[in-house]
Amino acid sequence: MKHQKISLSWKLDFNHVPPHIASHTKMFGSTTQNGSIRSWLFTLAFLLFSHPSITYSYRSHIHLSRQSIDSCLTSLNVTYPGESSFHSFSQAFNSRLSYTPAAIVLPSSVQDVERLVTCGAYLKLPVVSRSGGHSYAGYGLGGVDGALVADLSSLKQITLSGDNVVVQTGNILGEVATYLWDHGRRALPHGTCPKVGTGGHTSYGGYGPYSRMAGLLMDRVVSADVVLANGTSVTASEVSHPDLFWALKGAAPSYGIVTSWTYSTLTAPMISVSFFISLPRYTSGDTFATAFSKYQAFVHTAPRELAMAFAFGGDSKGIGAQLTGNYFGSKSNFINLVSGLVKFLNGSISHADEYSDWTKLLVANGGEQLVTTGPSPPNTFFAKSLVTFDLLDDSSLKRWGDYLVNTAIHADIGWFAQADLYGGAISSDFDASSSSFAHRDAFLVFQFYGSSKDNAPYPSDGMDVINKMLTSLSPNPTAAYPNYIDPSLSDSEWQSQYFGTNMARLREIKASYDPNNVFKFPQSIPV
């Protein structure tokens, strides 16, 4: 192995430090911007003079021991493989996947995040962040062994000022919703699972029942505080680092660690309805296809006040289905709107409950309290997604229905699928160029989800069942939702299906802000 000798002087001469650290000081100019030069110099001096694996030479590839990592992360809260605490912090939400990070850091401040990013860049470890820990692909743990993980769960500050709220990314959705309601009856559009983290959910879109009224969660972002690859923090917005801001709203984990989002909040809806419409059990592909065709035709012209999903699962007795969601208005108006659809589908309204308390509506949507202790229980699963932009044709629905009834219901996995209605404010109130989210004009977004029974090892044919659940409907899918991230997609597939024509610009911005690919995981934007 060749070594590149460097000159050392007690005077910190930036021309004589390892080139990947020296580049950090040049990429954005002064390191004093939103950061501390003294803190950075301390880290630099420590790396150069105290690191046990450096013998005053720069090595392009270093086999890292725990001691070499620990000496760089000194004074930070770190857990390593083999320690008792490591097991709980390294558990993936998806138990089908297992990765062993080189270390997991639990920062208690933005300065801690800056320190760990600087160390990760110097040690050439891929750096990833974990907010709520719900990545379907385990990318919050690196998606491969050996990553340096920033577990953001201790960054819990929330500050409301006027209509804007600053939310650190260790907060989960339920905590944010509770805070906003308790501090002025404010609200944001976001998903229904209260334990999902604000970091990834916002980064890749952030769809929820209120999105047809108010946009995706990312659409409410005013600015983002982010730690960059050089270990400094900046605030990105439409007027400061606008290219970075555009990239963060759609692909943030590839560009830095967002430590807080600033959202523009809304007055919580005065009256909302949570509903559940039971549908008959379907035992033929034709009857299922007819029912879904009627659903999509109805919601295609539905008012934005209606958020509705067609959800279903199967067993040996057929397909059980329901329509579920919210209506942002009175119960009587909701009944008048859907009565014709319910009659045509031979369904029944199991419940349509009216709420004036926003948080109680959210509890009804998610099926659990907004703030509870402990993480979500793990599940062993595989999932796919599909984004459609118009009505699906009858032949596709018939082919899909036949596969579900003739094959999928007999699979040795538990599965469900759901088609969520987009549109409304998502497509009409926000310009497509305002973010790197590629599916502004989506009509329906599907999720196909299969899990092993009793959390047993995933069956060998389970992935094939879910794959065919997608391809029987859309043999050549062109778009997918990155918050249902799918590690089985090839590079060309995920790049085109997640980011579409935005990919070229995303790569340019990546090369500008993270040229050494510090923030790297299997589906991060490449340099």
Side-chain angles (χ1 to χ4, degrees), residues 53-92:
S53 294
I54 300 175
T55 55
Y56 302 131
S57 65
Y58 168 65
R59 289 178 282 181
S60 59
H61 300 283
I62 303 174
H63 179 72
L64 297 172
S65 66
R66 169 175 169 173
Q67 181 185 13
S68 61
I69 299 172
D70 196 40
S71 63
C72 185
L73 298 173
T74 184
S75 79
L76 297 179
N77 186 3
V78 189
T79 182
Y80 294 95
E83 294 183 344
S84 58
S85 59
F86 184 84
H87 178 75
S88 60
F89 283 110
S90 63
Q91 292 300 292

Side-chain angles (χ1 to χ4, degrees), residues 193-248:
C193 179
K195 291 189 175 181
V196 163
T198 53
H201 188 62
T202 308
S203 296
Y204 289 121
Y207 169 84
Y210 201 44
S211 290
R212 281 174 50 79
M213 292 286 287
L216 302 168
L217 184 55
M218 71 163 53
D219 293 325
R220 310 307 307 180
V221 173
V222 175
S223 64
D225 292 329
V226 55
V227 177
L228 301 173
N230 65 354
T232 65
S233 295
V234 300
T235 298
S237 68
E238 290 184 353
V239 297
S240 176
H241 301 279
D243 278 355
L244 177 63
F245 187 56
W246 177 86
L248 294 178

Side-chain angles (χ1 to χ4, degrees), residues 277-300 308-312 319-323 340-347 391-394 396-398 400-402 404-405 419 443-444 446:
I277 300 171
S278 298
L279 302 179
R281 183 170 289 273
Y282 301 107
T283 57
S284 76
D286 284 341
T287 56
F288 175 84
T290 298
F292 193 90
S293 179
K294 183 64 176 180
Y295 160 75
Q296 68 167 358
F298 174 80
V299 297
H300 195 255
M308 180 179 279
F310 189 108
F312 60 95
I319 297 174
Q322 55 273 327
L323 304 177
L341 175 67
V342 174
K343 182 178 180 180
F344 180 90
L345 295 176
N346 196 27
L391 296 169
L392 293 159
D393 63 77
D394 290 343
S396 295
L397 294 177
K398 174 65 165 59
W400 186 41
D402 286 343
L404 294 172
V405 170
F443 168 43
L444 297 176
F446 293 75

Side-chain angles (χ1 to χ4, degrees), residues 276-470:
F276 188 97
I277 300 171
S278 298
L279 302 179
R281 183 170 289 273
Y282 301 107
T283 57
S284 76
D286 284 341
T287 56
F288 175 84
T290 298
F292 193 90
S293 179
K294 183 64 176 180
Y295 160 75
Q296 68 167 358
F298 174 80
V299 297
H300 195 255
T301 59
R304 66 168 60 191
E305 289 82 5
L306 181 69
M308 180 179 279
F310 189 108
F312 60 95
D315 57 28
S316 60
K317 297 179 181 179
I319 297 174
Q322 55 273 327
L323 304 177
T324 184
N326 294 156
Y327 178 77
F328 298 100
S330 69
K331 179 177 178 178
S332 60
N333 285 346
F334 167 71
I335 298 297
N336 289 336
L337 175 65
V338 302
S339 58
L341 175 67
V342 174
K343 182 178 180 180
F344 180 90
L345 295 176
N346 196 27
S348 62
I349 300 176
S350 299
H351 71 253
D353 300 325
E354 196 173 86
Y355 294 91
S356 58
D357 185 322
W358 174 247
T359 59
K360 290 182 179 179
L361 176 78
L362 296 181
V363 170
N365 287 342
E368 60 181 310
Q369 295 301 309
L370 296 184
V371 180
T372 57
T373 58
S376 298
N379 190 224
T380 304
F381 68 93
F382 174 67
K384 304 285 288 186
S385 68
L386 172 69
V387 178
T388 64
F389 300 91
D390 206 343
L391 296 169
L392 293 159
D393 63 77
D394 290 343
S395 61
S396 295
L397 294 177
K398 174 65 165 59
R399 184 176 61 245
W400 186 41
D402 286 343
Y403 174 77
L404 294 172
V405 170
N406 297 327
T407 303
I409 64 172
H410 303 294
D412 190 28
I413 55 172
W415 60 265
F416 77 87
Q418 182 164 313
D420 285 302
L421 174 63
Y422 276 49
I426 301 171
S427 57
S428 64
D429 293 6
F430 300 93
D431 193 273
S433 64
S434 65
S435 71
S436 54
F437 182 76
H439 308 318
R440 185 63 62 183
D441 294 331
F443 168 43
L444 297 176
V445 174
F446 293 75
Q447 177 177 197
F448 311 94
Y449 186 108
S451 57
S452 63
K453 297 175 180 178
D454 300 319
N455 241 15
Y458 202 73
S460 58
D461 62 344
M463 292 178 66
D464 187 57
V465 171
I466 298 301
N467 278 319
K468 289 180 179 177
M469 202 174 292
L470 165 62

Side-chain angles (χ1 to χ4, degrees), residues 72-119:
C72 185
L73 298 173
T74 184
S75 79
L76 297 179
N77 186 3
V78 189
T79 182
Y80 294 95
E83 294 183 344
S84 58
S85 59
F86 184 84
H87 178 75
S88 60
F89 283 110
S90 63
Q91 292 300 292
F93 172 61
N94 186 354
S95 298
R96 189 177 62 82
L97 306 169
S98 178
Y99 302 112
T100 303
I104 299 175
V105 182
L106 287 86
S108 58
S109 66
V110 174
Q111 290 71 33
D112 285 354
V113 178
E114 294 171 344
R115 285 279 306 280
L116 76 88
V117 170
T118 300
C119 287

